[in-house]
Amino acid sequence: MRVIMASNASARDVGEVVRIAHEETGEPHRVEVAALNGRLVVSIRGPGPAVDPGVFASMSGVESVEDAEPVYRLAGTGQVAGDERSLVKAVVELPDIGVAIGAEAFVVMAGPCAVEDEDDLLTTAKAARAAGARLLRGGAFKPRTSPYSFQGLGEEGLSMLARVRAETGIGVVTEAMEPAAVERVAQVADIIQIGSRNMQNFPLLREVGRQRKPALLKRGMSSTLEEWLGAAEYVLSEGNPNVILCERGIRTFSKHSRHTLDIGVVPAIRERSGLPVVVDPSHATGSSSRVPPMAKAALAAGADGLLVEIHPEPSRALSDGFQTLSLEEFATLMNDLRRIASAVGRTL
Amino acid sequence: MRVIMASNASARDVGEVVRIAHEETGEPHRVEVAALNGRLVVSIRGPGPAVDPGVFASMSGVESVEDAEPVYRLAGTGQVAGDERSLVKAVVELPDIGVAIGAEAFVVMAGPCAVEDEDDLLTTAKAARAAGARLLRGGAFKPRTSPYSFQGLGEEGLSMLARVRAETGIGVVTEAMEPAAVERVAQVADIIQIGSRNMQNFPLLREVGRQRKPALLKRGMSSTLEEWLGAAEYVLSEGNPNVILCERGIRTFSKHSRHTLDIGVVPAIRERSGLPVVVDPSHATGSSSRVPPMAKAALAAGADGLLVEIHPEPSRALSDGFQTLSLEEFATLMNDLRRIASAVGRTL
Amino acid sequence: MRVIMASNASARDVGEVVRIAHEETGEPHRVEVAALNGRLVVSIRGPGPAVDPGVFASMSGVESVEDAEPVYRLAGTGQVAGDERSLVKAVVELPDIGVAIGAEAFVVMAGPCAVEDEDDLLTTAKAARAAGARLLRGGAFKPRTSPYSFQGLGEEGLSMLARVRAETGIGVVTEAMEPAAVERVAQVADIIQIGSRNMQNFPLLREVGRQRKPALLKRGMSSTLEEWLGAAEYVLSEGNPNVILCERGIRTFSKHSRHTLDIGVVPAIRERSGLPVVVDPSHATGSSSRVPPMAKAALAAGADGLLVEIHPEPSRALSDGFQTLSLEEFATLMNDLRRIASAVGRTL
Amino acid sequence: MRVIMASNASARDVGEVVRIAHEETGEPHRVEVAALNGRLVVSIRGPGPAVDPGVFASMSGVESVEDAEPVYRLAGTGQVAGDERSLVKAVVELPDIGVAIGAEAFVVMAGPCAVEDEDDLLTTAKAARAAGARLLRGGAFKPRTSPYSFQGLGEEGLSMLARVRAETGIGVVTEAMEPAAVERVAQVADIIQIGSRNMQNFPLLREVGRQRKPALLKRGMSSTLEEWLGAAEYVLSEGNPNVILCERGIRTFSKHSRHTLDIGVVPAIRERSGLPVVVDPSHATGSSSRVPPMAKAALAAGADGLLVEIHPEPSRALSDGFQTLSLEEFATLMNDLRRIASAVGRTL
């Protein structure tokens, strides 16, 4: 919100607006006074529900109040109902499979990058389930840099996911790439993934916000936290209260791994939003040998879960084989994670 | 393409594949030999039309050939018909308004960030035309970080653009944000803009590729040149030969301006693609005082045109006023550009 | 400067401090009011000479004034004597060779990356001079990523530079890498270069500040403008008023060229500092074909000069041959630059 | 190393060189074949001791062999004596205080950013020791962006560190900023810190390489892993075998914390170097609330230790108070780390 002072406002008027601005807003807010075109402007910024502009409109020396809504409001509270200002941690419930994301349990979602073969998918789902994973990840629709690359099996891939889900009881997380596909993906998926490239595909976000399945919103490759929470807000503001954030590596100058996994965003989110956050170490590092250390780091830093690529035979995977764990490597990782989970007060 | 050698292939076999790979491909190609899982793999990468895999499939010691298509093929030649390998500069013709982008003339597109008011728009179009601009830019649909920000006038904005176009004869470039909107935008626009956030919205790119109006494809905030040309390829490969690339600043650590305008990508494109390229100094810098020097730099570096924000009264603009030139500032800039254009052998 | 208000200060007191803060400081200053530990703090930040803290110390409601010096003060004015607040453009005079940097003339410094061979150096110096370059660049001491790479000819290289300077009358710019070497380098050089890796080597900066030869301060690979001006301030504050800034590309995710040449920093400097600024397109792009377009862009954007790598036979250069122009390519570039210089009101 | 093939070399000759190159080098090496000026060049790159060029020099079809030394050699093995090629983990022994870095124990170094007050320092050292820290960190010489900022107590700070070390038996790690200061710092410090800004201050690195105290080498703000290991090589190649790498955050576009802590570099180092690596979450995050989660992440990812800022009363610290833990917060963190250390098979 910006309170524009009249050109003949007294210093006392300004001081009073500043004082009230501090009184009316909680700690994370910032109150700044700047000179703009010869007038003083008091700007008030912060994550939570905005201050009532009426408070200022009638004060002495105030010319006008611009009630700029904050970039995000629902994402900043972790609550979609009620109007408390405090940062309550949101829990995304998946009652069909008895899973809660954002609660005590660390939730692992594992599977192939792209759904390719039903036998492999079934083998993967059973092994993932046995090792402790609660959801099967796998793309039926794949966004690819080149139009000539494998784009996923599409509808056939969705059907495979549905059958494997029915047979094993594991949950499914899979991507929707355009508004027109959301309804069909929602029939199969327990969680609808929104990919990095689509983090600011606003028509898609709105469409996902209009249905009931939770969304897993991957961070854009160069998105700030504010933009990410703004994107979550598009889903939340349409009425879907269930958004899970997913950190998957950012673009930096650094070249030792494919992207730079920004583990530090996990505690940063905790200070600004109640939404659950999971981490994808597979896409971030691009190398299977780096996945286990980064998975452990994510858990230790406070993430609520993981998205991990696994495959019965990684070298056969059509997409992203280098970063994929074998089923055995995954089982070993899960055991290691279980010990750390216990050390940090979580279950797995 | 990757040529996988048999485990019992002789060194001579390898050498022969390498030699042929170099013979069959043009200069920008790279031929690499790597050991993978105990076998030698000769990989051949590059922009142009791929080598025929059949050349290698029958060679001694070759186990298999993976014919990975290059990320982009049409974007790499600047030609959508024919099969010459050379880098021919593409020219995007706009016959309705007598403009060609990518030819001798430096083409300036100017207007408000968002279409807000029809009188302002008409004033702007007339002033832009008088100063030498050939197209009016203006968003009817605006992608915004927050769902609570002004999202554009939508259909009403398109109608305003259509009326102003009819009255002044200036061309129109405006954005389409989703596949379902492309047809309607194409009725009004001379060029359909695809925004940075949608650079890898592949369903949108394909839809734009299926109609006839040229596309102006803004670079994603952290896109590599390869990803950008891959995105262009989505449009080109659907049959639309007219893509104009638009550099608009990238995300870096640097904070003295909103983004870092990567002027160096202009000559980089020239070495890999024949597509025309224009530069948007307004969004890149976020500051009207920085727009003129960067506009001049773009022209001097070889860009084919500009996208500039102008407004009759920048401080009244609802969106991005700080980076908007007044009509007077724009006229001055055009005069300055005219002198430089003459010095570098172009017209304006 | 931070003015800490007493806990019982009235709103009027606060308003008065804000008003005075705006009155006492020029436009580029920012005045902010924040709550800290239950008290209001008015902070005043900006480039120019600081406001007298005494102005605030005695005001009603003020508890204390912290007179934090700005990061840079001399670099922000372009003046090292006098106390005017305005941004005066500094001109670095090189009377021995009749050159002024920061004035009307666009000053080109050209030569090999590293001094290797005296005949080549002499040939280069003559050709550079003939084409219009005013200084010869060439490293005698070379900072290299690996201890096993060629580290320059050292003292022998300096002697070569001195002889070529004596014979041709061209000025010399060469690098000093440690405080102990500054005195010797200053005997030969007209300008002492401080390399990117040493931008924040503060003992070296101070030593260069204690002698009389101008410094050419290359921007660090990931330095903000504030850090860069802070580094300049280390030289200026020791009494050496002659600092030339040199943009040479920054580290970003972008991979189409070696670094990303941040041309936009040129107008950004103009708004915050009077120091002259030159651009090094050779190191930035790492490719000789990209040097001419970026050199032209730098001139058009308002830079005061260039640092360009040239060599009689680039493929023979021991260091950085790929980015080096031949003498013929350089002469062509200079002719192109001359036309643009004339179009933008400068000489060459 | 680059093997340049003669222009009349046969394909068989090329294949044989490629085969031998793969045979002679270990897995992390890359063998590439490229065409350069009409000739094939086989380049062999990798971290370990180079292949003997003599192996290739006499082969059929080989014109010449360029024995480019790798950027780093000693840093790539973790061994400074012997010539085994394998990646042996180096352990830096500090016999005076009975500490080994790079072995089973996770080594925590804690203390104030800058040494300011002897009583505070003694209190800090005792609390750090009691909580399990093995070294006291604290700067006597502080590199600062502005010449007007507090630059450390200098010699007086060193003396304080020496007295506190004598009284408490805790080890000391402190920074040397220039070659001339190394000898004096080495008299007091158990480990000499080389700061981020000096990572490529090669004269300083060489000087530290010529004395016996271990070096803690902080990563430059935008350094690649290769540059960092190259910098380590400057120390190692002078004969000092004891280098500890320290990740402290890199410069990226991301703004939610001061820098982006690149936890992923820890496993990346493990694949390329045997040198121990520690992490500094305080400078990286710039916020005390973020330090504990990132410290835990570093341990879980496999780091060998931490550098943490602590102070009896963080709000009183002259430098970097925002990122400093109180002594109580530090004790809590150490307890949390102890549980995770046990879960990952380490001691604390």
Side-chain angles (χ1 to χ4, degrees), chain B residues 11-12 14-16 18-19 22 27 30-35 40 251-253, chain D residues 11-12 14-16 18-19 22 27 30-35 40 251-253:
Chain B
R12 183 189 170 82
V14 179
E16 198 61 15
V18 169
R19 188 180 65 77
H22 282 289
E27 240 319 290
R30 281 183 70 192
V31 178
E32 294 181 350
V33 183
L40 287 183
R251 277 266 162 91
T252 73
F253 72 88
Chain D
R12 183 191 170 82
V14 178
E16 198 62 15
V18 168
R19 189 180 65 77
H22 282 289
E27 241 318 290
R30 282 184 70 191
V31 177
E32 295 181 349
V33 183
L40 287 184
R251 277 267 161 90
T252 73
F253 73 86

Side-chain angles (χ1 to χ4, degrees), chain A residues 43-61:
Chain A
S43 62
I44 304 159
R45 293 184 299 181
V51 186
D52 179 7
V55 171
F56 297 102
S58 58
M59 286 179 66
S60 162

